[in-house]
Amino acid sequence: MGLSGKKGIKDFNKMKRKGKAIAWVTAYDYPFSYCAEQAGIDMILIGDSGGMVQLGYETTNPVSMNEMLSMAKSVRKGAPNTFIIGDMPQGAYEISTTLAVENALRFVKEAGCDAIKCEGGIRVVDKVKAIVDAGILVCGHLGLTPQSTSSFGGYKVQGKSRTSFEDILKDALALQEAGVYAVLLEAMPAESAEQIAKHLDIPVYGIGAGPNVDGQLLIMHDLLGFYQPFRPKFAKCFIPEVILEYANYLDSLEDVSATGIETRRDGLLVLVQLTLEIYIRKVKNKTFPGKEYVYQLSENALSKLQKSEYWIE
Ligand code: KIV
């Protein structure tokens, strides 16, 4: 832990070794990142999903580097003591290693990010290595990588077939070799994600990748039920569970009518913070994700996967 109490990769590696799950969430602005830090989140991702849930684009593809930086700067202000990760938008890293390093540096120097995240494996490994060599922490992102949904034919679960599982594993090993500090797996069956975690020494986190990884990520607007156009299976909304906690909080106050006069803890801020506290608690005690939020393989698909030469019992 750093001087400010901010967790860093040594803490995350230790948590992995001790089997303690990490809870992270996306945020795109000052108020929500403030709530996340107050709730005790381990890491915040300024995802390019902000292009959809915050800026209203239909996909993440139009988001620009400047829009990402604007969101990242306000997240840093709301969460000064939290490890924050800037998500490289499409076009910010694929063209050349120079462009990739330049944009990764902008996240660090202009927005105060602690790390960056890139989508893709072997196809972008030279860019990832160049960023790592520039001294910047990189988190890999594999499985369903939203910037490439058109090549997947839409938002489709990845790693279900033996070939897809083996390709993702090879990508993950290449990223580890290039020096990423962690890999995030998105929308994969729990069994495939668990296998990938078994092969890697670095932390493997999941968003829709089942419970047997080193931590969970959710999109802020999904866990608050803010974003309606598209809600994947794993995107649990925690608001129905927070109502009781909020009622208990109000009960604990001496004079509800005076709430907010001194502290302003009277509205959405408290609700969002309580919601995040529930999410964090459930990740840490491993009750989230329950099976209704997990992609599972059919017996037939599982037995095919188990024939892979990379399968670890
Ligand atoms: O942009 C984002 O929020 C992401 C997550 C979906 C992993 O990349």
Side-chain angles (χ1 to χ4, degrees), residues 142-143 158-160 165 168-169 172 183-200 204-216 294-295 297 305 311:
L142 298 170
Q158 302 296 306
K160 279 162 75 175
F165 157 67
I168 296 171
L169 176 60
V183 168
L184 173 70
L185 300 176
E186 177 168 354
M188 289 181 63
E191 299 88 343
S192 319
E194 180 180 10
Q195 281 294 310
I196 289 169
K198 282 185 178 172
H199 277 273
L200 297 193
V204 174
Y205 304 124
I207 173 164
N212 301 322
V213 286
D214 301 307
Q216 301 293 329
V294 173
Y295 299 110
L297 290 169
L305 227 63
W311 192 265

Side-chain angles (χ1 to χ4, degrees), residues 14 21 43 49 62 78 117 146 171 206 208 284:
K14 193 163 155 195
M43 304 193 274
S49 53
K117 174 173 88 55
D171 279 335
K284 303 252 172 217

Side-chain angles (χ1 to χ4, degrees), residues 26 28 45 47-49 87 117 119 141 184 186 207 217 219:
T26 64
Y28 316 96
L45 171 71
D48 64 352
S49 53
D87 199 8
K117 174 173 88 55
E119 294 188 6
H141 180 176
L184 173 70
E186 177 168 354
I207 173 164
L217 168 69
I219 298 216

Side-chain angles (χ1 to χ4, degrees), residues 21-28 36 41-50 82-87 117-119 139-142 144-146 181-188 204-224 232-238 276 279-280 282-284 288-289 293-295:
I22 280 169
W24 51 320
V25 71
T26 64
Y28 316 96
I41 203 81
D42 293 310
M43 304 193 274
I44 295 176
L45 171 71
I46 303 107
D48 64 352
S49 53
T82 303
F83 190 91
I84 66 169
I85 304 155
D87 199 8
K117 174 173 88 55
C118 282
E119 294 188 6
C139 177
H141 180 176
L142 298 170
L144 196 171
T145 43
Y181 76 93
V183 168
L184 173 70
L185 300 176
E186 177 168 354
M188 289 181 63
V204 174
Y205 304 124
I207 173 164
N212 301 322
V213 286
D214 301 307
Q216 301 293 329
L217 168 69
L218 274 186
I219 298 216
M220 177 73 83
H221 291 50
D222 284 336
L223 71 81
L224 295 176
K233 177 183 168 91
F234 56 80
K236 174 173 170 151
C237 172
F238 283 77
L276 286 162
Y279 164 62
I280 294 167
K282 296 204 161 186
V283 170
K284 303 252 172 217
F288 178 77
Y293 298 101
V294 173
Y295 299 110

Side-chain angles (χ1 to χ4, degrees), residues 146-158:
Q147 288 168 15
S148 316
T149 41
S150 34
S151 38
F152 297 140
Y155 286 90
K156 299 240 167 80
V157 180
Q158 302 296 306

